[in-house]
Coordinates of all heavy atoms in Angstrom, one line a residue:
M17 N -17.5 13.3 -3.1 CA -17.8 11.8 -3.0 C -16.9 11.3 -1.8 O -15.8 11.7 -1.7 CB -17.4 11.1 -4.3 CG -17.6 9.6 -4.3 SD -17.3 8.9 -5.9 CE -18.7 9.4 -6.8
P18 N -17.4 10.5 -0.9 CA -16.7 10.0 0.2 C -15.5 9.1 -0.3 O -15.7 8.5 -1.3 CB -17.7 9.2 1.0 CG -19.0 9.3 0.3 CD -18.8 10.1 -0.9
S19 N -14.5 9.1 0.5 CA -13.3 8.3 0.1 C -13.6 6.8 0.1 O -12.8 6.1 -0.5 CB -12.1 8.6 1.0 OG -12.4 8.4 2.3
V20 N -14.6 6.3 0.7 CA -14.9 4.9 0.7 C -15.3 4.5 -0.7 O -15.3 3.3 -1.0 CB -16.1 4.5 1.6 CG1 -15.6 4.6 3.1 CG2 -17.3 5.3 1.4
A21 N -15.6 5.4 -1.6 CA -15.9 5.0 -3.0 C -14.6 4.6 -3.7 O -14.7 4.0 -4.8 CB -16.5 6.2 -3.7
R22 N -13.4 4.8 -3.2 CA -12.2 4.4 -3.8 C -12.1 2.9 -3.6 O -12.5 2.3 -2.6 CB -11.0 5.1 -3.2 CG -11.0 6.6 -3.5 CD -9.8 7.2 -2.8 NE -9.9 6.9 -1.3 CZ -8.8 7.0 -0.5 NH1 -7.6 7.4 -1.0 NH2 -8.9 6.8 0.7
P23 N -11.5 2.2 -4.6 CA -11.3 0.7 -4.4 C -10.2 0.5 -3.3 O -9.3 1.2 -3.2 CB -10.8 0.3 -5.8 CG -10.2 1.5 -6.4 CD -11.0 2.7 -5.9
G24 N -10.4 -0.7 -2.7 CA -9.4 -1.0 -1.7 C -8.4 -2.1 -2.2 O -8.6 -2.6 -3.3
P25 N -7.4 -2.4 -1.5 CA -6.3 -3.3 -2.0 C -6.9 -4.7 -2.4 O -6.3 -5.3 -3.3 CB -5.4 -3.5 -0.8 CG -5.6 -2.3 0.0 CD -7.0 -1.9 -0.2
G26 N -8.0 -5.2 -1.8 CA -8.5 -6.4 -2.2 C -9.5 -6.3 -3.4 O -10.0 -7.3 -3.9
D27 N -9.9 -5.1 -3.8 CA -10.8 -4.8 -4.8 C -10.1 -4.9 -6.2 O -9.0 -4.4 -6.4 CB -11.3 -3.4 -4.6 CG -12.5 -3.0 -5.5 OD1 -12.4 -3.2 -6.8 OD2 -13.5 -2.6 -5.0
K28 N -10.7 -5.5 -7.2 CA -10.1 -5.7 -8.5 C -9.9 -4.3 -9.2 O -9.1 -4.3 -10.1 CB -11.0 -6.6 -9.4 CG -12.4 -6.0 -9.7 CD -13.2 -6.9 -10.6 CE -14.6 -6.5 -10.8 NZ -14.8 -5.1 -11.2
D29 N -10.6 -3.3 -8.8 CA -10.4 -2.0 -9.4 C -9.2 -1.2 -8.7 O -8.9 -0.1 -9.2 CB -11.6 -1.1 -9.3 CG -12.7 -1.8 -10.2 OD1 -12.3 -2.3 -11.3 OD2 -13.9 -1.7 -9.8
C30 N -8.7 -1.7 -7.6 CA -7.5 -1.0 -7.0 C -6.3 -1.4 -7.8 O -5.9 -2.6 -7.9 CB -7.3 -1.5 -5.5 SG -5.9 -0.7 -4.7
K31 N -5.7 -0.4 -8.5 CA -4.6 -0.7 -9.4 C -3.4 -1.1 -8.7 O -2.9 -0.5 -7.7 CB -4.3 0.6 -10.2 CG -5.5 1.0 -11.1 CD -5.1 2.1 -12.0 CE -6.3 2.5 -12.9 NZ -6.1 3.6 -13.8
R32 N -2.7 -2.1 -9.2 CA -1.5 -2.6 -8.7 C -0.4 -1.6 -9.1 O -0.4 -1.0 -10.2 CB -1.1 -3.9 -9.4 CG -2.0 -5.1 -9.0 CD -1.6 -6.4 -9.7 NE -0.3 -6.7 -9.3 CZ 0.1 -7.6 -8.4 NH1 -0.9 -8.3 -7.8 NH2 1.3 -7.9 -8.1
P33 N 0.6 -1.4 -8.2 CA 1.6 -0.4 -8.5 C 2.4 -0.9 -9.7 O 2.6 -2.1 -9.9 CB 2.5 -0.4 -7.3 CG 1.7 -0.9 -6.2 CD 0.7 -1.9 -6.9
A34 N 2.8 0.0 -10.6 CA 3.6 -0.4 -11.8 C 5.0 -0.7 -11.3 O 5.6 -0.1 -10.3 CB 3.7 0.8 -12.7
Y35 N 5.6 -1.8 -11.8 CA 7.0 -2.1 -11.4 C 7.9 -1.1 -11.8 O 7.9 -0.7 -13.0 CB 7.3 -3.4 -12.1 CG 8.0 -4.5 -11.2 CD1 7.3 -5.6 -10.8 CD2 9.4 -4.3 -10.9 CE1 7.9 -6.5 -9.9 CE2 10.0 -5.3 -10.1 CZ 9.3 -6.3 -9.6 OH 9.9 -7.2 -8.8
P36 N 8.7 -0.5 -11.0 CA 9.7 0.5 -11.4 C 10.6 -0.1 -12.4 O 11.1 -1.2 -12.3 CB 10.4 0.8 -10.1 CG 9.5 0.5 -9.0 CD 8.7 -0.7 -9.5
E37 N 10.8 0.7 -13.5 CA 11.7 0.2 -14.6 C 13.0 -0.2 -14.2 O 13.5 -1.3 -14.6 CB 11.7 1.3 -15.7 CG 10.4 1.4 -16.5 CD 10.6 2.5 -17.6 OE1 11.7 2.6 -18.2 OE2 9.6 3.1 -17.9
S38 N 13.7 0.5 -13.4 CA 15.0 0.2 -12.9 C 15.0 -1.1 -12.1 O 15.9 -1.9 -12.2 CB 15.7 1.3 -12.1 OG 15.0 1.6 -10.9
S39 N 14.0 -1.3 -11.3 CA 13.9 -2.5 -10.5 C 13.7 -3.7 -11.4 O 14.2 -4.8 -11.1 CB 12.8 -2.4 -9.5 OG 13.1 -1.4 -8.5
A40 N 12.8 -3.6 -12.4 CA 12.5 -4.7 -13.3 C 13.8 -5.0 -14.1 O 14.2 -6.2 -14.3 CB 11.4 -4.3 -14.2
R41 N 14.5 -4.0 -14.5 CA 15.8 -4.2 -15.3 C 16.8 -5.0 -14.5 O 17.5 -5.8 -15.0 CB 16.3 -2.9 -15.8 CG 17.3 -2.9 -16.8 CD 17.6 -1.5 -17.4 NE 17.7 -0.4 -16.4 CZ 16.8 0.6 -16.3 NH1 15.7 0.6 -17.1 NH2 16.9 1.5 -15.4
N42 N 16.9 -4.6 -13.2 CA 17.9 -5.2 -12.3 C 17.4 -6.6 -11.7 O 18.2 -7.2 -11.0 CB 18.2 -4.3 -11.1 CG 18.9 -3.0 -11.5 OD1 19.6 -3.0 -12.6 ND2 18.7 -1.9 -10.8
G43 N 16.2 -6.9 -11.9 CA 15.6 -8.2 -11.4 C 15.3 -8.1 -9.9 O 15.2 -9.1 -9.2
D44 N 15.1 -6.9 -9.4 CA 14.8 -6.7 -8.0 C 13.4 -7.3 -7.6 O 12.4 -7.0 -8.3 CB 14.8 -5.2 -7.6 CG 16.1 -4.5 -7.8 OD1 17.1 -5.2 -7.9 OD2 16.1 -3.3 -7.9
E45 N 13.3 -8.0 -6.5 CA 12.1 -8.6 -6.0 C 12.1 -8.5 -4.5 O 13.2 -8.5 -3.9 CB 11.9 -10.0 -6.4 CG 11.8 -10.3 -7.9 CD 11.6 -11.8 -8.3 OE1 12.2 -12.6 -7.7 OE2 10.7 -12.0 -9.1
G46 N 11.0 -8.5 -3.9 CA 11.0 -8.5 -2.4 C 9.6 -8.2 -1.9 O 8.6 -8.0 -2.6
V47 N 9.5 -8.3 -0.6 CA 8.2 -8.0 0.1 C 8.4 -6.8 1.0 O 9.4 -6.8 1.8 CB 7.8 -9.2 1.0 CG1 6.5 -8.9 1.8 CG2 7.6 -10.5 0.1
V48 N 7.5 -5.8 0.9 CA 7.6 -4.6 1.7 C 6.4 -4.7 2.6 O 5.3 -5.0 2.3 CB 7.6 -3.3 0.8 CG1 6.4 -3.2 -0.1 CG2 7.7 -2.1 1.7
T49 N 6.6 -4.3 3.9 CA 5.5 -4.2 4.9 C 5.2 -2.7 5.0 O 6.1 -1.9 5.3 CB 5.9 -4.8 6.2 OG1 6.3 -6.1 6.1 CG2 4.7 -4.7 7.2
L50 N 3.9 -2.4 4.8 CA 3.4 -1.0 4.8 C 2.5 -0.8 5.9 O 1.8 -1.7 6.3 CB 2.7 -0.6 3.5 CG 3.5 -0.8 2.2 CD1 2.6 -0.6 1.0 CD2 4.7 0.1 2.2
Q51 N 2.4 0.4 6.4 CA 1.4 0.8 7.5 C 0.8 2.1 7.1 O 1.5 3.1 6.8 CB 2.1 0.8 8.8 CG 1.1 1.1 10.0 CD 1.8 1.1 11.3 OE1 2.4 2.0 11.7 NE2 1.8 -0.1 12.0
Y52 N -0.5 2.2 7.2 CA -1.2 3.4 6.9 C -2.1 3.8 8.1 O -2.6 2.9 8.8 CB -2.2 3.3 5.7 CG -1.4 3.1 4.4 CD1 -1.4 1.9 3.8 CD2 -0.8 4.2 3.7 CE1 -0.7 1.7 2.6 CE2 -0.1 4.0 2.5 CZ -0.1 2.8 2.0 OH 0.6 2.6 0.8
L53 N -2.2 5.1 8.4 CA -3.2 5.5 9.3 C -4.5 5.9 8.5 O -4.3 6.7 7.6 CB -2.7 6.8 10.1 CG -1.7 6.6 11.2 CD1 -1.3 7.9 11.8 CD2 -2.3 5.6 12.2
V54 N -5.6 5.3 8.9 CA -6.8 5.6 8.1 C -8.0 6.1 9.0 O -8.0 5.8 10.2 CB -7.3 4.3 7.4 CG1 -6.3 3.8 6.4 CG2 -7.6 3.2 8.3
T55 N -8.9 6.8 8.3 CA -10.0 7.3 9.0 C -11.2 6.3 8.8 O -11.0 5.4 8.0 CB -10.5 8.7 8.5 OG1 -10.8 8.6 7.1 CG2 -9.3 9.7 8.6
K56 N -12.3 6.6 9.5 CA -13.4 5.6 9.4 C -14.0 5.6 8.0 O -14.6 4.6 7.6 CB -14.5 6.0 10.4 CG -14.1 5.6 11.8 CD -15.3 5.8 12.7 CE -14.8 5.4 14.1 NZ -15.8 5.4 15.1
D57 N -13.8 6.6 7.2 CA -14.3 6.6 5.8 C -13.3 6.1 4.8 O -13.5 6.1 3.6 CB -14.8 8.0 5.3 CG -13.7 9.0 5.2 OD1 -12.5 8.7 5.5 OD2 -14.0 10.1 4.7
G58 N -12.1 5.5 5.3 CA -11.2 4.9 4.4 C -10.1 5.8 3.9 O -9.2 5.4 3.1
A59 N -10.1 7.1 4.3 CA -9.1 8.0 3.8 C -7.7 7.8 4.5 O -7.7 7.4 5.7 CB -9.5 9.5 4.1
I60 N -6.7 8.0 3.8 CA -5.3 7.8 4.2 C -4.8 9.1 4.8 O -4.9 10.1 4.2 CB -4.3 7.4 3.1 CG1 -4.8 6.1 2.4 CG2 -2.9 7.3 3.6 CD1 -4.7 4.9 3.2
L61 N -4.4 9.1 6.1 CA -3.8 10.3 6.7 C -2.3 10.3 6.6 O -1.7 11.3 6.4 CB -4.2 10.3 8.2 CG -5.7 10.4 8.5 CD1 -5.9 10.4 10.0 CD2 -6.2 11.7 7.9
E62 N -1.7 9.1 6.7 CA -0.2 9.0 6.6 C 0.1 7.6 6.3 O -0.6 6.6 6.6 CB 0.3 9.5 8.0 CG 1.5 9.0 8.5 CD 1.8 9.4 9.9 OE1 1.4 10.5 10.3 OE2 2.5 8.7 10.6
G63 N 1.3 7.4 5.7 CA 1.8 6.0 5.4 C 3.3 5.9 5.7 O 4.0 6.9 5.6
K64 N 3.7 4.7 5.9 CA 5.2 4.5 6.1 C 5.5 3.1 5.8 O 4.7 2.2 5.8 CB 5.6 4.9 7.5 CG 5.1 4.0 8.6 CD 5.6 4.4 10.0 CE 5.1 3.5 11.1 NZ 5.6 3.9 12.4
V65 N 6.8 2.9 5.5 CA 7.4 1.5 5.3 C 7.8 1.0 6.7 O 8.6 1.6 7.4 CB 8.5 1.6 4.3 CG1 9.2 0.2 4.3 CG2 8.1 2.0 2.9
V66 N 7.2 -0.1 7.1 CA 7.6 -0.7 8.4 C 8.8 -1.6 8.2 O 9.7 -1.7 9.1 CB 6.4 -1.5 8.9 CG1 6.7 -2.2 10.3 CG2 5.2 -0.6 9.2
K67 N 8.8 -2.4 7.1 CA 10.0 -3.2 6.8 C 10.2 -3.2 5.3 O 9.3 -3.4 4.5 CB 9.7 -4.7 7.2 CG 10.9 -5.6 7.0 CD 10.6 -7.0 7.5 CE 11.9 -7.8 7.3 NZ 11.6 -9.2 7.6
S68 N 11.4 -2.8 4.9 CA 11.8 -2.7 3.5 C 11.9 -4.0 2.7 O 12.2 -5.0 3.3 CB 13.1 -1.9 3.5 OG 13.6 -1.9 2.1
S69 N 11.6 -3.9 1.5 CA 11.8 -5.0 0.6 C 13.3 -5.2 0.3 O 13.7 -6.2 -0.3 CB 11.1 -4.8 -0.8 OG 11.7 -3.6 -1.4
G70 N 14.1 -4.2 0.7 CA 15.5 -4.2 0.4 C 15.9 -3.3 -0.8 O 17.0 -3.1 -1.2
F71 N 14.8 -2.8 -1.4 CA 15.0 -1.9 -2.6 C 14.1 -0.7 -2.4 O 12.9 -0.8 -2.4 CB 14.6 -2.7 -3.9 CG 15.4 -3.9 -4.1 CD1 14.9 -5.2 -3.7 CD2 16.7 -3.9 -4.6 CE1 15.6 -6.3 -3.8 CE2 17.5 -5.0 -4.7 CZ 16.9 -6.3 -4.3
S72 N 14.7 0.5 -2.3 CA 14.0 1.7 -2.1 C 13.0 2.0 -3.2 O 11.9 2.6 -2.9 CB 14.9 2.9 -1.8 OG 15.7 3.1 -3.0
A73 N 13.3 1.7 -4.4 CA 12.4 2.0 -5.5 C 11.1 1.2 -5.4 O 9.9 1.7 -5.6 CB 13.0 1.8 -6.9
L74 N 11.2 -0.1 -5.0 CA 10.0 -0.9 -4.8 C 9.2 -0.4 -3.6 O 8.0 -0.3 -3.6 CB 10.4 -2.4 -4.6 CG 11.1 -3.1 -5.7 CD1 11.4 -4.5 -5.4 CD2 10.3 -3.0 -7.0
D75 N 9.9 -0.1 -2.5 CA 9.2 0.4 -1.3 C 8.4 1.7 -1.6 O 7.2 1.8 -1.3 CB 10.2 0.7 -0.2 CG 10.9 -0.5 0.3 OD1 10.5 -1.6 0.0 OD2 12.0 -0.3 1.0
K76 N 9.0 2.6 -2.3 CA 8.4 3.9 -2.6 C 7.2 3.8 -3.5 O 6.1 4.3 -3.3 CB 9.4 4.9 -3.2 CG 8.8 6.3 -3.4 CD 9.8 7.2 -4.0 CE 9.2 8.6 -4.3 NZ 10.1 9.5 -4.8
A77 N 7.4 2.9 -4.5 CA 6.3 2.7 -5.5 C 5.1 2.1 -4.8 O 3.9 2.5 -5.0 CB 6.7 1.8 -6.6
A78 N 5.3 1.1 -3.9 CA 4.2 0.5 -3.2 C 3.5 1.5 -2.3 O 2.3 1.6 -2.2 CB 4.6 -0.7 -2.4
L79 N 4.3 2.2 -1.5 CA 3.8 3.2 -0.5 C 2.9 4.3 -1.2 O 1.8 4.6 -0.7 CB 4.9 3.8 0.2 CG 4.5 4.8 1.4 CD1 3.8 4.0 2.5 CD2 5.8 5.5 1.9
V80 N 3.4 4.8 -2.3 CA 2.7 5.9 -3.0 C 1.4 5.4 -3.7 O 0.4 6.0 -3.6 CB 3.7 6.6 -3.9 CG1 2.9 7.6 -4.9 CG2 4.8 7.4 -3.2
E81 N 1.6 4.3 -4.5 CA 0.5 3.9 -5.3 C -0.7 3.2 -4.5 O -1.8 3.4 -4.7 CB 0.9 2.9 -6.4 CG 1.8 3.6 -7.4 CD 1.1 4.8 -8.1 OE1 -0.1 4.7 -8.5 OE2 1.7 5.9 -8.2
L82 N -0.3 2.5 -3.4 CA -1.3 1.8 -2.6 C -2.0 2.8 -1.7 O -3.1 2.5 -1.2 CB -0.7 0.6 -1.9 CG -0.4 -0.5 -2.8 CD1 0.4 -1.6 -2.0 CD2 -1.6 -1.1 -3.5
A83 N -1.5 4.0 -1.5 CA -2.1 5.0 -0.7 C -3.3 5.6 -1.5 O -4.2 6.3 -0.9 CB -1.1 6.1 -0.3
K84 N -3.4 5.3 -2.8 CA -4.5 5.8 -3.6 C -5.8 4.9 -3.4 O -6.8 5.3 -3.9 CB -4.1 5.9 -5.1 CG -3.0 6.9 -5.3 CD -2.5 6.8 -6.7 CE -1.3 7.8 -7.0 NZ -0.8 7.6 -8.3
C85 N -5.6 3.8 -2.8 CA -6.8 2.9 -2.5 C -7.4 3.2 -1.2 O -6.8 3.9 -0.3 CB -6.2 1.4 -2.5 SG -5.5 0.9 -4.1
A86 N -8.6 2.7 -1.0 CA -9.4 2.9 0.2 C -9.1 1.7 1.1 O -8.8 0.6 0.6 CB -10.8 3.0 -0.1
Y87 N -9.2 1.8 2.4 CA -9.0 0.8 3.3 C -10.1 0.6 4.2 O -10.7 1.6 4.7 CB -7.6 1.1 4.1 CG -6.5 1.0 3.2 CD1 -6.1 2.1 2.4 CD2 -5.8 -0.2 3.0 CE1 -5.1 2.1 1.5 CE2 -4.7 -0.2 2.1 CZ -4.4 0.9 1.4 OH -3.3 0.8 0.5
E88 N -10.4 -0.7 4.6 CA -11.5 -0.9 5.5 C -11.1 -0.6 6.9 O -10.0 -1.1 7.3 CB -11.9 -2.4 5.4 CG -13.2 -2.7 6.1 CD -13.6 -4.2 5.9 OE1 -13.5 -4.6 4.7 OE2 -14.0 -4.8 6.8
F89 N -11.9 0.1 7.6 CA -11.5 0.5 9.0 C -11.6 -0.7 9.9 O -12.7 -1.4 9.8 CB -12.4 1.6 9.4 CG -12.0 2.3 10.7 CD1 -11.0 3.3 10.7 CD2 -12.5 1.9 11.9 CE1 -10.6 3.9 11.8 CE2 -12.1 2.5 13.1 CZ -11.1 3.5 13.0
P90 N -10.6 -1.0 10.6 CA -10.6 -2.2 11.5 C -11.8 -2.0 12.6 O -11.8 -1.0 13.3 CB -9.3 -2.2 12.2 CG -8.4 -1.3 11.4 CD -9.3 -0.3 10.7
E91 N -12.6 -3.0 12.7 CA -13.7 -3.0 13.7 C -13.1 -2.9 15.1 O -12.2 -3.5 15.5 CB -14.5 -4.3 13.6 CG -15.8 -4.2 14.3 CD -16.7 -5.4 13.9 OE1 -16.8 -5.8 12.8 OE2 -17.2 -6.0 14.9
G92 N -13.8 -2.0 15.9 CA -13.4 -1.8 17.3 C -12.2 -0.9 17.6 O -11.8 -0.7 18.7
E93 N -11.6 -0.3 16.5 CA -10.5 0.5 16.7 C -10.9 2.0 16.9 O -12.0 2.4 16.4 CB -9.6 0.4 15.5 CG -8.9 -0.9 15.3 CD -7.8 -1.2 16.3 OE1 -7.1 -0.2 16.7 OE2 -7.7 -2.3 16.7
E94 N -10.0 2.8 17.5 CA -10.3 4.2 17.6 C -9.7 4.9 16.3 O -8.8 4.3 15.7 CB -9.6 4.8 18.8 CG -10.3 4.3 20.1 CD -9.7 5.0 21.3 OE1 -9.3 6.2 21.2 OE2 -9.7 4.4 22.4
E95 N -10.3 6.0 16.0 CA -9.8 6.7 14.8 C -8.7 7.7 15.1 O -8.7 8.3 16.2 CB -11.0 7.5 14.2 CG -10.8 8.1 12.8 CD -12.0 8.8 12.3 OE1 -12.9 9.2 13.0 OE2 -12.0 8.8 11.1
P96 N -7.7 7.8 14.3 CA -7.4 6.9 13.1 C -6.8 5.6 13.5 O -6.2 5.4 14.6 CB -6.3 7.7 12.4 CG -5.6 8.5 13.5 CD -6.6 8.8 14.5
A97 N -7.0 4.6 12.7 CA -6.5 3.3 13.0 C -5.3 2.9 12.1 O -5.2 3.5 11.0 CB -7.6 2.3 12.7
K98 N -4.5 2.0 12.6 CA -3.3 1.6 11.8 C -3.7 0.3 11.0 O -4.3 -0.6 11.6 CB -2.2 1.2 12.7 CG -1.6 2.4 13.4 CD -0.4 1.9 14.3 CE 0.2 3.2 15.0 NZ 1.2 2.8 16.0
V99 N -3.5 0.4 9.7 CA -3.7 -0.8 8.9 C -2.3 -1.2 8.3 O -1.6 -0.4 7.7 CB -4.6 -0.4 7.7 CG1 -4.7 -1.6 6.7 CG2 -6.0 0.0 8.2
T100 N -1.9 -2.4 8.7 CA -0.6 -2.9 8.2 C -0.7 -4.1 7.3 O -1.6 -5.0 7.6 CB 0.3 -3.3 9.5 OG1 0.3 -2.2 10.4 CG2 1.7 -3.7 9.2
F101 N 0.0 -4.2 6.3 CA 0.0 -5.3 5.4 C 1.3 -5.4 4.6 O 2.1 -4.5 4.5 CB -1.2 -5.3 4.5 CG -1.2 -4.2 3.5 CD1 -0.7 -4.3 2.2 CD2 -1.7 -2.9 3.8 CE1 -0.7 -3.3 1.3 CE2 -1.7 -1.9 2.9 CZ -1.2 -2.0 1.7
K102 N 1.5 -6.6 4.0 CA 2.7 -6.9 3.1 C 2.3 -6.8 1.7 O 1.2 -7.2 1.3 CB 3.2 -8.2 3.5 CG 3.8 -8.3 4.9 CD 4.3 -9.6 5.2 CE 4.8 -9.7 6.6 NZ 5.4 -11.0 7.0
Y103 N 3.2 -6.3 0.9 CA 3.0 -6.2 -0.6 C 4.2 -6.9 -1.2 O 5.3 -6.5 -0.9 CB 2.8 -4.8 -1.1 CG 2.5 -4.8 -2.6 CD1 1.3 -5.0 -3.0 CD2 3.5 -4.6 -3.5 CE1 1.0 -5.0 -4.4 CE2 3.3 -4.6 -4.9 CZ 2.0 -4.8 -5.3 OH 1.7 -4.9 -6.6
A104 N 4.0 -7.9 -2.0 CA 5.1 -8.7 -2.6 C 5.3 -8.2 -4.1 O 4.4 -8.2 -4.9 CB 4.7 -10.2 -2.6
W105 N 6.5 -7.9 -4.4 CA 7.0 -7.6 -5.7 C 7.6 -8.8 -6.3 O 8.5 -9.4 -5.8 CB 8.0 -6.5 -5.7 CG 7.5 -5.1 -5.3 CD1 7.5 -4.6 -4.1 CD2 6.9 -4.2 -6.2 NE1 7.0 -3.3 -4.1 CE2 6.5 -3.1 -5.4 CE3 6.5 -4.2 -7.5 CZ2 5.9 -2.0 -6.0 CZ3 5.9 -3.1 -8.1 CH2 5.6 -2.0 -7.3
S106 N 7.1 -9.3 -7.5 CA 7.7 -10.5 -8.1 C 7.6 -10.3 -9.6 O 6.6 -9.8 -10.2 CB 6.9 -11.7 -7.7 OG 7.3 -12.8 -8.4
L107 N 8.7 -10.6 -10.3 CA 8.8 -10.5 -11.8 C 8.1 -11.6 -12.5 O 7.9 -11.6 -13.7 CB 10.2 -10.3 -12.2 CG 10.8 -9.0 -11.8 CD1 12.3 -9.1 -12.0 CD2 10.2 -7.9 -12.6
E108 N 7.7 -12.7 -11.8 CA 7.0 -13.8 -12.4 C 5.6 -13.6 -12.6 O 4.9 -13.0 -12.0 CB 7.3 -15.1 -11.6 CG 8.7 -15.5 -11.6 CD 8.9 -16.8 -10.8 OE1 8.0 -17.6 -10.6 OE2 10.0 -17.0 -10.5

């Protein structure tokens, strides 16, 4: 099955990363900026944290779990394309 069948970050079926237990216990919150290299079919080739939330557990959880989603290939880009976005961690 092509990777475009996977849900993307805006899709209700793309699972939100689970809050790391230690981060929830400590009250850690923040915004992490992630960047993925994607192919035209939405597959992830590589991912990295561009700007940390300030908490490595939150950064790692977002990077790993959101890599399981598919991403829309940016129109007019060459393959692979960079997709950059922010993910906010909040206990509220």
Side-chain angles (χ1 to χ4, degrees):
M17 182 175 287
S19 59
V20 290
R22 296 179 300 162
D27 190 308
K28 65 179 174 48
D29 293 325
C30 180
K31 294 183 181 182
R32 295 180 58 102
Y35 224 103
E37 288 183 30
S38 62
S39 296
R41 194 171 41 252
N42 294 333
D44 299 342
E45 297 182 318
V47 177
V48 58
T49 303
L50 303 172
Q51 184 177 81
Y52 294 104
L53 283 179
V54 298
T55 62
K56 287 187 178 184
D57 70 353
I60 303 292
L61 298 179
E62 153 185 333
K64 67 180 180 178
V65 173
V66 176
K67 184 175 179 190
S68 175
S69 65
F71 302 97
S72 62
L74 295 180
D75 296 347
K76 182 178 179 182
L79 184 67
V80 170
E81 292 304 312
L82 292 172
K84 296 176 183 175
C85 297
Y87 293 84
E88 188 173 320
F89 192 82
E91 194 173 316
E93 293 288 325
E94 290 188 29
E95 191 174 24
K98 291 180 184 176
V99 175
T100 304
F101 66 95
K102 295 179 181 182
Y103 184 80
W105 290 98
S106 176
L107 291 167
E108 290 183 21

